[in-house]
Amino acid sequence: MVLSPDPGIQALADLLRPHGFQPIPTSWREVPGRGWVFVARGPAGKALGWASPDEPPLRGGFLPEALRWDALWVNLYPWTWENYQALRALLPLSPGRCQRPASFGAGDRLGWATAAQVAALQRYPVFPVLAQQSPRELARTKRDFRDVLLAAALGVLEAGYAGPFGADADHLQEEDQLRAAAAAGYSLYTFDLRRALARGPRPRTALSSVARAVIAELAGRRLAVPGGHLVLEEDRLAAAAQVYEEALAAVIRGTEILREMGIEADLEISVDEAEAETTPETHAFIVRYLQRHGVALWSLAPRFPGTFEKAVDYEGDVERFAQAVAIHYALARSLGGHRLSLHSGSEKFRILPMFRALTEGYFHVKTSGTTWLQAVWVIARHRPDLFAALYVTARESLEESRRDYPVRLRAEDLPADPPPDPEAALGSRAIRQLFHISYGVLLERHGARIYETLAQFEAAHMAAVAANLERHLEALFGG
């Protein structure tokens, strides 16, 4: 039996309307040999629908009795982890490893924006990473890795997207974080090495034989770079080893855990939030040390020259940035072929085109807070009273919100009272940064009103998210 999607969805809408649900047309999808699934909006949120001639492998139907629709039975089900697991055994809803030269991460702190992100991303030659959250974001949003993946998978269904996608357990620093993401089935693991920098360097005499061998191997190595050659220096390699060896042991242990769990995944190292720029020697030592322990990197996120503050464009010497990207890309090519990753990619329009060009289209870019800011913009336009309340809370909680984010924003940079024109206010650097970093406290104190507003103006929210992401993608690929 084959149903025409358009007439079928209209008839289905008529069937479900008395029960308070409306099917989303783009979500209609066949489950080979079993029936059809779809996503429906309801009074308490979105639900998973199933239309089939027999009983589905789902639990917890909302309707007391399945509805008869032609030769099919129809019911609606909660989008739970159990129902997701049942469905991803039948449809391509599990995250996988990257399959394209370019990849793009689009975090979603609210869990509502994936369908809009997919609408933008699938128009460009990138592998989409749709579930991307760090433990600090999870703590502030009161979510876990399952919640994030569950929301992303529902967005994939809603958008009607049948292609591959990734899930990034971002900025991992603890073993329990890694295990939680692995248990959920994530496909990309980003190890954050900031704690190694906080501990300071070990004595050179404490370096392992492997570290010493890496230093000896790399010292004096000549690398062709734009405009000449780079020679790796022994003292700088030793300094990198003294800072990073202990942290890399934790990365090696993390990869062993993944192997023990039977997980093959993409692996990324993040040093982008370090205070000092990443030297070529640091890059080379990290990669070669891991290789000697059987760990192959998928990506490295260096600390590039310049300032990468949240919610604003790149600040710094663009020529120095370009030179650093060229050097790190040449290193990556010579050390096994991993890609470079640009973190804090939100709003970095000045450098996105050159990052793509200098990496020859072989890169990863991460964004997250820019999607949350589109939700704030919708609130500013449609609910200025709520925006004012959010502003007061965010300003009062600035020091708490700044704790995990390196921004120069101070209370004196912000108006004491809520701005009279909320939309115009979001053009201000200070106010954009304030909202970018304040999502945790705002969701904690005003979450119900935020979600209520975004549900009411869902079309505007989705359009804003898609348009904003397209602006980033056009900067990367439009030139």
Side-chain angles (χ1 to χ4, degrees):
M1 177 181 181
V2 178
L3 299 179
S4 174
D6 292 338
I9 283 290
Q10 183 56 55
L12 183 61
D14 295 340
L15 183 72
L16 294 177
R17 189 175 297 110
H19 301 275
F21 286 92
Q22 177 184 6
I24 297 173
T26 54
S27 68
W28 182 253
R29 183 182 311 206
E30 184 176 2
V31 182
R34 298 298 301 270
W36 290 263
V37 293
F38 58 92
V39 179
R41 295 183 182 88
K46 292 173 181 174
L48 177 67
W50 183 283
S52 172
D54 51 25
E55 185 177 357
L58 305 174
R59 296 293 177 265
F62 286 136
L63 305 179
E65 293 184 1
L67 304 174
R68 190 69 179 174
W69 181 35
D70 198 3
L72 305 177
W73 294 98
V74 176
N75 208 334
L76 298 158
Y77 300 85
W79 186 235
T80 62
W81 184 254
E82 292 70 26
N83 282 342
Y84 165 56
Q85 286 183 301
L87 194 59
R88 74 180 184 181
L90 304 172
L91 291 174
L93 289 175
S94 296
R97 301 183 69 176
C98 183
Q99 303 175 8
R100 307 189 77 165
S103 50
F104 195 100
D108 176 15
R109 292 166 179 167
L110 296 173
W112 280 21
T114 297
Q117 292 171 337
V118 167
L121 287 163
Q122 65 183 349
R123 296 180 53 236
Y124 293 84
V126 294
F127 178 81
V129 179
L130 301 174
Q132 172 194 287
Q133 295 277 264
S134 65
R136 69 182 171 192
E137 289 172 317
L138 297 178
R140 290 183 176 218
T141 58
K142 306 297 188 293
R143 304 170 80 195
D144 59 29
F145 286 114
R146 280 188 176 186
D147 294 332
V148 173
L149 183 52
L150 200 59
L154 185 65
V156 166
L157 281 172
E158 182 181 339
Y161 177 67
F165 66 95
D168 181 5
D170 198 13
H171 286 286
L172 298 173
Q173 298 188 68
E174 301 285 353
E175 187 175 308
D176 62 340
Q177 299 165 355
L178 172 71
R179 289 185 179 277
Y186 277 60
S187 59
L188 168 58
Y189 296 81
T190 299
F191 295 91
D192 187 335
L193 305 188
R194 278 177 297 166
R195 289 189 178 175
L197 304 180
R199 285 193 292 266
R202 305 167 69 194
R204 187 163 178 174
T205 55
L207 294 178
S208 71
S209 59
V210 175
R212 293 172 185 273
V214 170
I215 294 168
E217 174 193 347
L218 295 175
R221 182 167 177 173
R222 289 171 60 85
L223 179 72
V225 297
H229 288 83
L230 171 74
V231 179
L232 298 179
E233 299 180 12
E234 180 178 350
D235 287 346
R236 291 187 175 184
L237 287 163
Q242 290 171 250
V243 170
Y244 284 98
E245 183 175 23
E246 188 175 349
L248 293 176
V251 174
I252 293 164
R253 173 57 185 154
T255 61
E256 290 172 350
I257 291 171
L258 293 176
R259 290 192 192 107
E260 291 166 3
M261 298 178 71
I263 294 173
E264 294 184 359
D266 294 323
L267 305 177
E268 179 175 76
I269 294 291
S270 164
V271 293
D272 64 291
E273 295 189 3
E275 290 186 12
E277 297 171 18
T278 304
T279 65
E281 287 82 3
T282 295
H283 182 159
F285 177 82
I286 288 172
V287 174
R288 196 68 190 97
Y289 184 88
L290 290 174
Q291 288 173 345
R292 283 191 171 237
H293 285 275
V295 178
L297 281 189
W298 173 78
S299 175
L300 175 74
R303 170 65 167 90
F304 289 114
T307 302
F308 290 80
E309 289 203 9
K310 306 298 183 182
V312 296
D313 210 334
Y314 172 82
E315 297 173 327
D317 185 332
V318 172
E319 291 302 319
R320 283 194 65 228
F321 171 79
Q323 183 181 36
V325 172
I327 290 172
H328 285 293
Y329 180 67
L331 272 169
R333 297 295 87 201
S334 70
L335 291 169
H338 58 277
R339 68 189 64 199
L340 294 186
S341 185
L342 181 68
H343 290 195
S344 297
S346 300
E347 278 76 42
K348 303 304 182 289
F349 300 110
R350 290 180 66 203
I351 58 174
L352 286 176
M354 69 176 63
F355 186 68
R356 175 189 63 94
L358 290 166
T359 59
E360 300 180 309
Y362 188 68
F363 62 81
H364 183 55
V365 170
K366 291 193 184 187
T367 66
S368 182
T370 193
T371 290
W372 154 249
L373 284 178
Q374 304 321 300
V376 176
W377 176 83
V378 170
I379 292 168
R381 165 165 283 194
H382 296 283
R383 288 287 305 277
D385 58 325
L386 176 56
F387 180 89
L390 298 181
Y391 180 84
V392 170
T393 298
R395 192 178 188 280
E396 290 174 348
S397 308
L398 174 58
E399 290 309 309
E400 176 187 347
S401 298
R402 286 182 66 245
R403 189 173 62 242
D404 289 330
Y405 291 98
V407 296
R408 291 169 288 179
L409 180 65
R410 298 293 182 269
E412 53 267 29
D413 300 327
L414 298 159
D417 298 318
D421 186 341
E423 283 190 78
L426 286 174
S428 155
R429 170 197 176 98
I431 292 177
R432 283 179 63 81
Q433 286 199 318
L434 174 68
F435 277 99
H436 185 110
I437 66 174
S438 299
Y439 60 94
V441 68
L442 296 181
L443 289 172
E444 181 179 0
R445 300 187 193 178
H446 304 278
R449 296 175 68 194
I450 290 172
Y451 281 109
E452 177 187 343
T453 300
L454 296 178
Q456 183 180 357
F457 299 100
E458 181 181 12
H461 180 209
M462 295 298 98
V465 169
N468 175 265
L469 204 55
E470 285 187 9
R471 186 182 174 202
H472 287 79
L473 292 160
E474 196 60 26
L476 277 168
F477 294 102

